[in-house]
Amino acid sequence: MTGTRVRILIADDEARLVAVLAKVLDEEGYAVFTASGGAEACAIAEREQVHLALVDLTMPDRSGLEVLRTLRQRMPAIRVLLMTAYASAETAVEAMKQGALDYLIKPVALDELKLHLRRAVAELSLEEENRVLRDALDRQSGTDAMIGASPGLNAALALARRVAESAATILILGESGTGKELIARELHRRSPRRTGPFLAINCAAIPESMLERELFGHEKGAFTGADTGRPGLIEAAAEGTLLLDEIGEMSPGLQARLLRVIEGHDFLRLGGTRPVRVLTRFVAATNRDLAALAKAGRFREDLYHRLNVVTIALPPLRDRGDDVVLLAEHFLRGFSADRGRRMDPLAPEVCRALRTYGWPGNIRELRNVIERAVLLGSGTSLNLTDLHLQDASSPSGPAQLAGRTLREAREAFERAYLAEALRSCGGNVTRTAERVGLDRRNLQLRLKRYGLKADETP
């Protein structure tokens, strides 16, 4: 393993054997930890994050097979070799079924032990190389929502990467167009289910009766026209990930069925009598406040708590500061390459307009704005007219704010108001504070909150 000293645990109640093996393996270059019983072995392995374990099959407090099961459950990548003085075919079969690398007969032949350990280290090194390559490919295949360095986006990405390897249900919150599906794909790409399917369905775009069939499938004859049986998306996404987008729009009846699947991992197709068992990972996304809906009785509270194991909140584009410019330049490069046009970097006045616009449609709207500008614009650079952001100086009219909460509308107005005041005062914070009736410190805090920078606003 590159740059890592392999950590190995020896667990046996024969103190003399443990001492001999520890000395030999230390001379071989391993970092060695020892335990005299099964419980101690499990505690050490977890605390020290060992890579390999050499475990006696028969110990007073806990058998080697019990230790093997515990270690494999807590650390799936660990390699375990069992030692026994009483080998049998049944022992070997059970050890392999439980995930043992192999088993050794006592007295342990040191050359055989060293060979087994070298093979195990080679396997671990190969897995590490594959993990590094996967991470590199993930970085190369970064998506639009992943572009940026704002604190809100970084926090969402960090949380997504922390929970990706788990089987926990994830709830993604954010306004329309903030990249909720792209975060769900990131979760899938970094999970152990990455080789399985990733499927997504918009619960708000499909009538209830059709949505039920799409999710759960049906048997032949379940309804008029059902000439053959068909699996639903839950079944099709088995061993993979299913994104339930706009789940806040799902009917109470379907919510109850979904809760049963998430908790029990089985369901009946429409018209079916035999349960279908699945190990699908569910990711839910919504632009609505599910907690408020549950409190008001418009969303099942038990389903909300089951979905809300981990919540990832995506910030709106207007709160991501300079990310809007980074995204715009990314879209500009892509669309200009598609059209065979050579485009100059975005001009300062264009960047200012992009920063101060409210972006009610978030990343999706920005993408459309840049695509339209490249298609309809002329020359090698984009100007303010190409963007067609006529209301860029006041992105807070009633039409733009429709669909937002009162708090979101108030914040959008305040951001646009301060941006315009700052621009009209030539970027001077003191003059701007006097104009808007705030003290300088309060204004600076608000500018920081909204990602507005005085030195970039002439």
Side-chain angles (χ1 to χ4, degrees):
M1 296 175 64
T2 307
T4 302
R5 191 180 181 196
V6 177
R7 303 158 76 86
I8 186 167
L9 169 68
I10 304 170
D12 198 310
D13 58 339
E14 295 182 40
R16 184 176 177 182
L17 175 61
V18 170
V20 171
L21 293 177
K23 183 176 184 299
V24 170
L25 297 183
D26 180 70
E27 291 173 352
E28 288 287 309
Y30 297 102
V32 181
F33 303 88
T34 62
S36 59
E40 184 186 6
C42 293
I44 291 174
E46 192 164 5
R47 183 177 68 247
E48 301 295 342
Q49 297 182 327
V50 301
H51 305 107
L52 301 167
L54 188 59
V55 180
D56 186 31
L57 188 62
T58 307
M59 289 182 288
D61 62 337
R62 193 177 298 184
S63 75
L65 287 178
E66 289 179 286
V67 173
L68 169 64
R69 281 192 293 269
T70 300
L71 294 183
R72 293 284 294 170
Q73 286 171 359
R74 295 178 183 175
M75 294 162 284
I78 195 170
R79 299 299 194 273
V80 180
L81 278 166
L82 291 177
M83 301 181 291
T84 178
Y86 310 101
S88 67
E90 292 78 8
T91 302
V93 170
E94 184 61 24
M96 297 307 180
K97 283 173 61 178
Q98 296 292 337
L101 185 66
D102 209 331
Y103 71 99
L104 303 172
I105 307 298
K106 289 184 176 180
V108 175
L110 294 180
D111 288 343
E112 183 182 4
L113 172 61
K114 293 175 184 178
L115 179 61
H116 278 294
L117 294 179
R118 281 196 291 269
R119 288 174 178 170
V121 171
E123 287 184 15
L124 290 168
S125 297
L126 182 59
E127 286 186 3
E128 183 182 19
E129 290 174 12
N130 288 338
R131 190 160 50 248
V132 170
L133 287 173
R134 282 198 303 268
D135 288 344
L137 288 173
D138 286 346
R139 288 192 295 272
Q140 291 174 12
S141 61
T143 52
D144 303 333
M146 307 301 112
I147 294 173
S150 60
L153 177 65
N154 285 340
L157 284 173
L159 181 55
R161 288 161 183 163
R162 282 181 60 190
V163 301
E165 298 251 354
S166 75
T169 304
I170 308 295
L171 179 61
I172 305 174
L173 302 179
E175 296 177 11
S176 294
T178 49
K180 295 188 293 294
E181 181 173 339
L182 297 175
I183 288 291
R185 290 183 180 276
E186 180 80 353
L187 283 165
H188 176 73
R189 187 165 52 242
R190 291 177 173 273
S191 76
R193 300 167 181 266
R194 62 177 63 87
T195 56
F198 175 90
L199 301 177
I201 187 169
N202 188 326
C203 301
I206 304 174
E208 180 181 350
S209 59
M210 290 182 61
L211 180 59
E212 186 175 21
R213 294 203 298 268
E214 287 295 315
L215 286 174
F216 297 96
H218 62 265
E219 298 290 356
K220 179 179 179 180
F223 51 85
T224 303
D227 299 326
T228 60
R230 188 175 73 86
L233 292 179
I234 294 175
E235 198 172 341
E239 307 299 331
T241 304
L242 177 61
L243 169 63
L244 301 167
D245 199 6
E246 303 301 350
I247 195 169
E249 309 301 325
M250 184 177 284
S251 69
L254 282 183
Q255 290 176 33
R257 289 203 67 183
L258 177 62
L259 177 63
R260 173 71 180 84
V261 179
I262 293 175
E263 291 187 334
H265 303 291
D266 59 20
F267 65 95
L268 296 176
R269 290 183 182 177
L270 291 181
T273 57
R274 291 185 300 176
V276 177
R277 184 159 183 81
V278 293
L279 290 176
T280 302
R281 186 194 196 172
F282 292 93
V283 176
T286 181
N287 61 6
R288 305 188 67 183
D289 187 343
L290 286 192
L293 292 178
K295 188 174 182 180
R298 304 208 309 263
F299 193 86
R300 289 187 65 106
E301 193 168 359
D302 48 3
L303 177 58
Y304 166 67
H305 290 303
R306 193 64 186 82
L307 294 173
N308 193 31
V309 176
V310 176
T311 298
I312 299 174
L314 281 176
L317 185 56
R318 63 183 173 275
D319 291 344
R320 288 177 53 181
D322 285 341
D323 284 1
V324 65
V325 176
L326 296 176
L327 282 160
E329 290 175 337
H330 166 72
F331 292 136
L332 179 63
R333 287 191 296 270
F335 289 128
S336 59
D338 291 343
R339 300 287 295 177
R341 293 181 60 185
R342 181 188 173 280
M343 301 294 292
D344 297 330
L346 295 173
E349 63 272 17
V350 172
C351 293
R352 285 193 293 272
L354 294 173
R355 289 191 195 97
T356 55
Y357 183 67
W359 299 111
N362 291 292
I363 299 170
R364 187 180 296 120
E365 182 184 8
L366 173 62
R367 185 181 190 278
N368 292 340
V369 164
I370 300 300
E371 182 177 18
R372 181 181 60 208
V374 172
L375 285 173
L376 302 181
S378 58
T380 61
S381 63
L382 297 185
N383 56 45
L384 292 176
T385 304
D386 294 326
L387 296 179
H388 292 280
L389 298 179
Q390 294 90 345
D391 52 357
S393 62
S394 57
S396 52
Q400 279 194 290
L401 299 178
R404 299 191 194 181
T405 65
L406 179 61
R407 178 181 177 183
E408 290 170 348
R410 187 184 297 117
E411 289 179 347
F413 170 81
E414 183 175 315
R415 186 185 192 283
Y417 172 75
L418 292 177
E420 176 59 25
L422 191 64
R423 180 165 50 234
S424 65
C425 291
N428 185 291
V429 176
T430 301
R431 292 211 317 262
T432 303
E434 291 172 353
R435 172 171 293 190
V436 302
L438 295 172
D439 61 76
R440 181 183 173 88
R441 175 174 171 74
N442 197 345
L443 175 61
Q444 287 176 323
L445 290 174
R446 291 170 187 258
L447 294 179
K448 182 177 180 181
R449 174 184 178 186
Y450 293 122
L452 300 173
K453 297 183 180 180
D455 60 350
E456 294 182 5
T457 308

